[in-house]
Amino acid sequence: PKNYESSFHRARLAFRHQRVFNGLAGDPNVSMVCLNPLPDDIDAKSVDFIGPILDPAIAKEIAQGNLNPLTKKEISLPARKTIKQLPLAPAFNEFKLLKEPDTSIQN
């Protein structure tokens, strides 16, 4: 197919070097990094197909699930119903023996 080689090269770059959110970045102004470093002969600004370079505040909100990654609009979910959580088991001091242990049995 026409442009197969260039399309394959772009797909390979996108797979290996996609931009991801790095919440552990030491610099608060840098939150989007390449999954793997780009080859030296490729300019990061010329490969927008590997993912956009986002403002750190927007990238953080998207990563936390607060913004739609396509529209950058706030995600609003319907209010959740509150359900009273029941205890999983009674407290230890509430356990009662059904029958006292038989202490007359000797070893």
Side-chain angles (χ1 to χ4, degrees), residues 8-42:
F8 179 83
H9 181 68
R10 287 171 57 103
R12 188 173 177 181
L13 284 172
F15 180 77
R16 288 186 172 178
H17 307 284
Q18 59 192 291
R19 286 197 177 96
V20 295
F21 176 77
N22 180 5
L24 301 177
D27 183 352
N29 297 319
V30 177
S31 60
M32 299 297 295
V33 297
C34 288
L35 186 60
N36 294 296
L38 284 168
D40 292 335
D41 61 335
I42 295 179

Side-chain angles (χ1 to χ4, degrees), residues 53-92:
I53 298 174
L54 299 173
D55 175 83
I58 291 175
K60 182 177 181 181
E61 291 296 313
I62 290 171
Q64 292 175 337
N66 298 326
L67 292 181
N68 180 311
L70 301 176
T71 65
K72 311 295 185 286
K73 293 182 180 178
E74 184 176 353
I75 295 174
S76 58
L77 300 174
R80 298 173 76 183
K81 293 181 181 177
T82 305
I83 300 173
K84 181 179 177 184
Q85 185 175 357
L86 299 175
L88 298 176
F92 182 75

Side-chain angles (χ1 to χ4, degrees), residues 97-103:
L97 296 173
L98 299 176
K99 178 179 166 189
E100 292 294 323
D102 186 357
T103 56

